[in-house]
Amino acid sequence: MLIITRKADESIIIELEGGKGNIEIKVLEVGSQIRLGIEAPAGYKVWRNEIYQNVLANRQAASAALPNLFDAVSKLSEKLK
Amino acid sequence: MKCKTRDFGEIEIKDSDILTFAQPLFGFEDYRRFTLIYNHDIGESLAWLQSIDDPELCFILFDPTPLSSFFRPELPQWIEDTLGKGDYICWVLCAIPDDIRKTTVNLKSPIFINPLTRKVAQIMLEQNYPIRFPLIKEDT
């Protein structure tokens, strides 16, 4: 992991190779918590990590695209009895 | 009204069967209207949460009552503002892989339904429950 020290009002730039737009993360306030400002080009979604872990889990849950999910759920319900 | 489903073809539902996410499923902010489908052979411990607006979008829900020895979700106080007053029904989302023995449920962020208002919310609990809890014990 790259570790960088920053003060309030300083920022870092994450450059996407090929000039496809940069992401800027700025430290707005420092204290017991820090406030960050994030600027990213269109096409990027910014998540709090703990929320993002649930997004991934939900996507996984939605893509249980088994050829026959009904059979799978039947078998699952048998196993749970 | 008619509702196209992923696993049951076209079914008939009433307005009172429509559930609306007041706080959407994380990552599915554009999908608010769903209906619950039970299957007689499977019983009521598992249910389908079918999107009304996209037939291909469907989740399998598990009634976590059998896990109540350790799974006791504590709801945030603001939930009444979101769902209205009532007795909420808790479900957890299943992730069912090809090998169904590896099915997991998300205990960190259950969904809560208020049957009175038919509003739903996915709530990330403060409690430290796993996002991927194995539903089936290894040796079965």
Side-chain angles (χ1 to χ4, degrees):
Chain A
M1 180 183 277
L2 174 68
I3 297 171
I4 301 171
T5 306
R6 299 277 68 191
K7 294 176 189 153
D9 286 332
E10 292 180 342
S11 66
I12 63 164
I13 301 287
I14 300 172
E15 181 185 25
L16 191 64
E17 281 179 25
K20 289 182 183 161
N22 296 341
I23 299 170
E24 180 177 10
I25 301 173
K26 188 171 187 180
V27 179
L28 302 177
E29 266 177 52
V30 184
S32 62
Q33 294 186 311
I34 63 165
R35 278 169 72 83
L36 300 175
I38 297 144
E39 268 201 79
Y44 283 93
K45 287 186 176 177
V46 179
W47 300 100
R48 290 174 174 82
N49 187 20
E50 62 274 23
I51 299 277
Y52 186 60
Q53 298 310 313
N54 283 289
V55 171
L56 294 180
N58 281 350
R59 286 181 189 157
Q60 192 186 355
S63 69
L66 299 176
N68 195 335
L69 187 72
F70 183 83
D71 278 358
V73 176
S74 299
K75 284 183 198 146
L76 180 63
S77 95
E78 283 302 313
K79 284 199 177 292
L80 292 170
K81 275 175 187 162
Chain B
M1 64 180 273
K2 296 207 186 314
C3 172
K4 283 187 181 152
T5 70
R6 191 184 65 187
D7 296 331
F8 300 99
E10 197 171 77
I11 61 167
E12 186 69 31
I13 59 168
K14 300 189 287 282
D15 280 351
S16 58
D17 295 327
I18 299 174
L19 302 172
T20 305
F21 272 87
Q23 175 163 297
L25 291 158
F26 300 117
F28 292 85
E29 287 75 12
D30 293 339
Y31 301 89
R32 300 277 178 155
R33 300 194 308 156
F34 287 80
T35 192
L36 270 190
I37 304 170
Y38 295 96
N39 177 265
H40 182 73
D41 295 329
I42 286 170
E44 294 189 352
S45 63
L46 291 160
W48 275 251
L49 182 68
Q50 171 67 51
S51 162
I52 290 173
D53 303 304
D54 181 352
E56 292 305 310
L57 183 63
C58 178
F59 296 87
I60 305 298
L61 303 181
F62 174 70
D63 173 0
T65 307
L67 310 178
S68 59
S69 63
F70 65 93
F71 180 62
R72 290 177 191 166
E74 289 163 15
L75 286 167
Q77 290 196 334
W78 48 261
I79 193 160
E80 260 188 24
D81 299 336
T82 308
L83 296 183
K85 276 195 199 311
D87 292 324
Y88 309 127
I89 298 165
C90 177
W91 290 94
V92 292
L93 290 148
C94 297
I96 306 176
D98 288 337
D99 180 355
I100 60 161
R101 289 171 301 174
K102 299 204 165 96
T103 294
T104 61
V105 287
N106 183 349
L107 300 185
K108 180 69 181 171
S109 299
I111 70 165
F112 294 91
I113 301 175
N114 183 343
L116 291 178
T117 58
R118 297 189 293 277
K119 286 185 178 171
V120 194
Q122 183 174 28
I123 307 284
M124 188 165 67
L125 302 171
E126 292 286 325
Q127 294 151 290
N128 197 18
Y129 292 127
I131 289 181
R132 291 181 180 81
F133 176 79
L135 198 52
I136 295 167
K137 292 192 187 84
E138 284 291 331
D139 53 2
T140 53

